[in-house]
């Protein structure tokens, strides 16, 4: 059976996201998302390419660089701006939008994982393009995340 993430309706044009349940504790999920070197493996946009430049574990104010490709290859600088161990991880690229993971530990030991692309404080011209593809890419990322974590358990 194919896994799917739920695309969320935030009610705000420049806030798009998706949610999935991962059958693993929040600390195990956080270990994967806070390792920027894993992003190429979980990315659902197919834009993240090659090795990351940055720490093995992201924390508040960490800076990391992603090799990307959308048409032409480029490198994107990111800074972690939101952080709570095993609960929240958010970073901003130069475009000033925030890519955010929110984790909620559930009573059965699984984790509700929500990812957002928050472009409310970013240039609207750029965000008008981003919102056309971001929710589907986030949903695919969450499916990849779930598959990788659950297959390693």
């Amino acid at each position: 059976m194919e896994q799917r993430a739920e695309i969320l309706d935030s009610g705000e044009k420049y806030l798009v996201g998706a949610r999935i349940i991962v059958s693993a504790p929040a600390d195990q999920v956080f270990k994967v998302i806070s390792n920027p070197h894993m992003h190429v493996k979980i990315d659902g946009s197919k834009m993240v390419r090659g090795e990351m430049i940055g720490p093995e574990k992201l924390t508040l104010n960490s800076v990391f660089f992603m090799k990307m490709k959308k048409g032409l290859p480029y490198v994107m600088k990111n800074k972690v701006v939101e952080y709570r161990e095993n609960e929240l991880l958010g970073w901003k690229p130069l475009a000033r939008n925030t890519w955010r993971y929110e984790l909620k530990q559930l009573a059965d030991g699984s984790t509700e994982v929500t990812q957002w692309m928050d472009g409310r404080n970013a240039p609207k011209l750029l965000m008008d393009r981003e919102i056309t593809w971001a929710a589907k890419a986030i949903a695919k990322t969450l499916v990849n995340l779930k598959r990788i974590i659950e297959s390693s358990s």
Side-chain angles (χ1 to χ4, degrees), residues 36 39 48 52-55 58-59 61-68 74-81 90-99:
H39 290 201
V48 180
M52 295 294 142
I53 301 165
L58 299 173
T59 57
N61 296 317
S62 291
V63 174
F64 63 106
F65 298 84
M66 296 175 152
K67 293 181 182 179
M68 310 284 289
Y74 61 100
V75 175
M76 185 181 321
K77 179 182 178 183
N78 301 277
K79 181 178 181 181
V80 176
V81 295
W91 64 88
K92 284 187 182 208
L94 293 176
R96 299 192 315 266
N97 55 318
T98 302
W99 291 89

Side-chain angles (χ1 to χ4, degrees), residues 5-58:
E6 172 192 8
I7 293 178
L8 303 172
D9 179 1
S10 71
E12 298 199 33
K13 180 177 181 180
Y14 297 109
L15 179 63
V16 297
R19 177 181 301 137
I20 202 164
I21 303 296
V22 177
S23 297
D27 63 335
Q28 191 175 342
V29 176
F30 198 81
K31 184 177 180 180
V32 174
I33 64 171
S34 65
N35 180 346
H37 304 276
M38 289 297 292
H39 290 201
V40 70
K41 294 178 181 170
I42 63 174
D43 174 53
S45 72
K46 299 186 179 174
M47 291 172 50
V48 180
R49 306 285 176 97
E51 288 296 311
M52 295 294 142
I53 301 165
E56 290 296 316
K57 181 180 180 187
L58 299 173

